[in-house]
Structure formats: C-alpha cells, structure tokens
Amino acid sequence: KVYKRIESLEVEFQIIKEIIEARKDKNITQKELSDLTGIMQENISKIEDGNANPSLKTLKKLAAALVKN
C-alpha cells in the first residue's frame, strides 16, 4: 500500500512540475494563466503548490492554455 501511495504522489508531482514548467516556458504569470483559463489565480497557485486536487476539467483547461505552439 505504501508503494502505491508513493507512486501516485510521483505522478501528482510530475503533473505539477509540467504545469509550472509549461507556464514558465510560455513566460506567463499565474494571473495571465488565470485570465486565459478562467481559473482563479488563487486556485492556480494552490495547484502549483500541491495544495489542490484539480478536476480533469481544470487540468484540460490548463493544458489547452499551455500547449506549445
């Protein structure tokens, strides 16, 4: 059970890392990402800090805004 929990956390941290890196690669702030997605900046901050459990819908909005052109 412990190994499965650790494995699930690794996936969670990888997603968070990808969101942060993609936002920085686009050179946009959390506020700008908020404006692009309609997700409150406070919630983006919580997601990036690992203090939120975003829905699939939220992750899709973030991915759409952060897709590399």
Side-chain angles (χ1 to χ4, degrees), residues 15-61:
I15 291 169
I16 292 167
K17 180 181 169 196
E18 293 292 332
I19 291 169
I20 294 168
E21 286 180 1
R23 181 176 62 76
K24 289 184 177 182
D25 285 347
K26 288 193 78 114
N27 199 29
I28 60 174
T29 65
Q30 289 180 352
K31 175 64 174 127
E32 291 168 323
L33 183 56
S34 172
D35 293 340
L36 290 170
T37 61
I39 300 167
M40 291 176 41
Q41 184 273 325
E42 295 83 2
N43 291 335
I44 292 171
S45 177
K46 287 178 186 177
I47 291 167
E48 289 189 1
D49 289 341
N51 294 320
N53 189 10
S55 67
L56 184 56
K57 182 178 179 180
T58 297
L59 291 174
K60 285 181 178 181
K61 285 181 182 179

